[in-house]
Amino acid sequence: MEIRVLRYFLTVVREESITKAADVLHITQPTLSRQMAQMEDEMGVKLFDRGTRKIVLTNEGLLLRRRAEEILELVDKTERELTEQEEAVEGTVSVGCGDFGAVQMLPELFQSFHERYPAVIFDLYTATADHVRDQMERGLIDVGLLLEPINMEKYDFIRLNQKEQWVVVMPADAPLASRQSVTPADLKGLPLILPRRLNIQSELASWFGDEFDKLNVLFTSNLPSNGSVMVCHKLAYAIVIKGSISLWNQEKITYRPLNSELSASSVLA
């Protein structure tokens, strides 16, 4: 499969029409139709449901779109890097990170690096550690700031000294806000928001003990900021890393640490 044809395919997807895509690509409509038909024959699957008004992707087409976007992003990144090798140090450093306290170290690193290499810009990408590591595997992210536990066998990394503390976030007027800390028994029966990462859930399961399987889990959330919106509307209590809440509206929500304390470390990989 040629890179050129993948670009044609994504243009058709974006324009939802062979005719419109052909105009954008400056090729004839029959040529583009033939290229798409050859791609389907090559793969042995149907990529489009060709309706009367617009083209709709099949399940196989949706999968190819995701993969084509990843492939072309990596191709474009590689081309930029190869070009930049012959020039001064410039380009983009892609940094993926979670939503936790250790992010506070990044501005100083960015500033010192930028002073030395002013032509370099940064692409800051926020996601869970599992997703950032997946993007690193694909070559789309250069550096990851990741919350453990995470498998680091394939990477050079530095484990940071700063500890990240797990807390329960709640509305400011919640009954538990009168406590100094929160125990598993305090959360029994209450609607909860847990982190989506399964390895984090395993850590929390150890803290909850026998109560974990009885929890009233209303949501799981990949990033604390999503869960905070639900907390603001008093839908649930969220278990998050303390360092993620510095920019939240403290008049509407507050937090209390877990008792006994549960903490995590982070790595720069």
Side-chain angles (χ1 to χ4, degrees), residues 70-178:
E70 292 172 356
I71 290 168
L72 293 177
E73 185 178 353
L74 183 56
V75 167
D76 293 341
K77 185 175 188 290
T78 303
E79 289 176 350
R80 289 195 303 270
E81 289 175 346
L82 290 173
T83 301
E84 290 157 4
Q85 291 296 316
E86 300 179 358
E87 302 171 356
V89 179
E90 60 181 25
T92 301
V93 176
S94 300
V95 180
C97 64
D99 197 355
F100 48 91
V103 175
Q104 297 290 337
M105 68 175 285
L106 291 180
E108 184 178 350
L109 291 178
F110 290 160
Q111 179 64 29
S112 60
F113 195 90
H114 182 67
E115 288 174 356
R116 186 171 181 182
Y117 304 110
V120 171
I121 63 173
F122 300 94
D123 176 36
L124 189 59
Y125 181 86
T126 304
T128 64
D130 294 332
H131 188 72
V132 170
R133 192 189 63 177
D134 181 62
Q135 295 291 89
M136 292 173 71
E137 291 260 358
R138 298 169 187 271
L140 300 176
I141 286 179
D142 305 307
V143 181
L145 181 58
L146 311 171
L147 184 71
E148 293 190 299
I150 188 81
N151 188 340
M152 287 283 96
E153 288 181 1
K154 296 183 179 180
Y155 301 98
D156 292 326
F157 67 92
I158 300 170
R159 181 168 284 107
L160 305 179
N161 292 327
Q162 178 178 346
K163 288 295 183 180
E164 305 284 349
Q165 184 183 22
W166 287 97
V167 299
V168 179
V169 175
M170 61 196 75
D173 59 355
L176 288 184
S178 63

Side-chain angles (χ1 to χ4, degrees), residues 161-231:
N161 292 327
Q162 178 178 346
K163 288 295 183 180
E164 305 284 349
Q165 184 183 22
W166 287 97
V167 299
V168 179
V169 175
M170 61 196 75
D173 59 355
L176 288 184
S178 63
R179 306 286 182 89
Q180 293 298 312
S181 59
V182 176
T183 67
D186 293 331
L187 297 174
K188 186 176 181 180
L190 295 178
L192 297 178
I193 303 172
L194 297 185
R196 182 190 290 178
R197 287 179 61 195
L198 294 180
N199 46 7
I200 294 294
Q201 289 187 24
S202 296
E203 298 273 310
L204 292 173
S206 297
W207 182 81
F208 275 103
D210 294 339
E211 298 297 323
F212 186 74
D213 292 333
K214 306 172 188 175
L215 295 180
N216 177 17
V217 179
L218 190 57
F219 300 97
T220 59
S221 179
N222 65 328
L223 292 173
S225 53
N226 299 330
S228 72
V229 176
M230 307 303 132
V231 175

Side-chain angles (χ1 to χ4, degrees), residues 24-44:
V24 171
L25 294 166
H26 304 294
I27 60 177
T28 65
Q29 185 269 335
T31 298
L32 184 56
S33 294
R34 188 165 57 252
Q35 291 280 6
M36 295 300 98
Q38 287 175 354
M39 176 183 283
E40 289 179 317
D41 290 342
E42 221 178 280
M43 296 183 173

